[in-house]
Amino acid sequence: MGKMLNKTLQTRKHFFSLEGVDGSGKTTQMDLLQKALEEKGFSCLRIREPGGSEISEKIRSLLLDPCFKGLMADKTELLLYNAARAQIIEECIKPALDAQKIVLADRFAWSTYAYQGFGRNLDQQMVFDLSVITCGEFLPELTIVLDIDVSKSRERMVKEGKVPDRLESEAASFFERVRQGYISVVENFPQNAVLVNADQSEETIHKQILELILSRIE
């Protein structure tokens, strides 16, 4: 488990993120969540990380390109994720929240904490502090972590026939550390992060997520 962070967390209302290891079902649940909220009359901005703006998408292509496997330094990776995030906050997230929209993020700053702080074994406090510098007050008020055994998440990805990108091609031990990183987030920030068992039916998971979100906005 990760150490307890020296932490001060500022968040923005109506900003939510879904997190989890690759293959945990985030995209499916994001589809269902966005549809349900819009059917209830809420205006939503949906983003993915890294990406979501022209500059951020170019950074994404660098980060995920398999040809850089074994070449990209861990701190380069860390800084590129934060650079992409800084851009999407300024260009997309801040204007949407100012316009009273709900922002739904498929990954956000806690991905960097889990993947770089735990998966890459970088200093966790440093990773956290950099996220605070990058995001300021623009952190989600609630992060839902879809938790699943790494072996099951890998089986899902194989069944889907997905060609793994640079990070998805990491060893299972890497993702075991990432999973522990997400558990650490929930332990450190119980008011802002919650685990949901991702080894349930899609509809069961969706109902749990929707209930958690609606409890914050209605």
Side-chain angles (χ1 to χ4, degrees):
M1 295 294 178
K3 64 184 180 182
M4 293 299 291
L5 293 171
N6 176 15
K7 54 192 185 293
T8 301
L9 195 67
Q10 290 182 289
T11 63
R12 282 292 296 261
K13 289 189 65 63
H14 294 176
F15 184 11
F16 305 97
S17 64
L18 293 186
E19 296 278 5
V21 297
D22 298 288
S24 59
K26 293 187 312 330
T27 301
T28 296
Q29 290 302 323
M30 186 66 81
D31 289 341
L32 294 171
L33 176 60
Q34 181 181 11
K35 183 174 184 289
L37 291 175
E38 289 178 345
E39 286 177 349
K40 290 180 176 293
F42 294 104
S43 178
C44 300
L45 170 69
R46 175 177 170 176
I47 62 169
R48 70 171 182 174
E49 273 234 312
S53 72
E54 184 176 1
I55 292 172
S56 298
E57 288 290 338
K58 287 185 180 297
I59 297 173
R60 178 188 179 91
S61 69
L62 286 172
L63 280 163
L64 302 185
D65 192 331
C67 77
F68 296 131
K69 184 173 176 62
L71 293 175
M72 185 176 292
D74 293 345
K75 286 185 179 179
T76 302
E77 182 180 271
L78 171 67
L79 292 167
L80 283 173
Y81 273 110
N82 279 280
R85 188 165 300 130
Q87 184 65 29
I88 198 173
I89 288 171
E90 191 67 27
E91 189 172 339
C92 304
I93 295 173
K94 184 178 186 298
L97 292 173
D98 288 346
Q100 308 303 312
K101 292 183 178 181
I102 293 172
V103 175
L104 304 174
D106 184 343
R107 298 196 181 284
F108 204 64
W110 291 128
S111 279
T112 300
Y113 181 69
Y115 276 75
Q116 280 68 57
F118 282 72
R120 298 296 189 210
N121 289 313
L122 292 176
D123 182 84
Q124 293 156 19
Q125 187 67 53
M126 176 190 71
V127 174
F128 175 80
D129 290 344
L130 184 56
S131 288
V132 171
I133 292 168
T134 299
C135 300
E137 65 181 295
F138 291 96
L139 286 164
E141 67 164 303
L142 181 65
T143 292
I144 297 168
V145 177
L146 298 178
D147 184 52
I148 190 170
D149 287 340
V150 169
S151 60
K152 292 182 178 179
S153 70
R154 308 308 280 170
E155 288 172 7
R156 287 183 180 183
M157 294 182 69
V158 171
K159 287 181 180 178
E160 291 170 0
K162 185 176 181 182
V163 177
D165 60 35
R166 188 178 65 86
L167 265 75
E168 291 168 344
S169 63
E170 291 288 345
S173 57
F174 173 86
F175 291 99
E176 293 287 359
R177 295 194 299 274
V178 171
R179 184 186 182 196
Q180 292 307 312
Y182 281 126
I183 292 171
S184 176
V185 169
V186 175
E187 291 174 345
N188 273 279
F189 299 97
Q191 299 303 312
N192 301 106
V194 62
L195 284 180
V196 169
N197 179 8
D199 192 19
Q200 305 178 85
S201 71
E202 289 180 359
E203 184 59 29
T204 298
I205 297 168
H206 168 60
K207 287 179 179 178
Q208 292 176 8
I209 291 174
L210 184 60
E211 182 177 332
L212 286 165
I213 299 296
L214 290 177
S215 72
R216 298 288 183 119
I217 61 178
E218 289 189 335

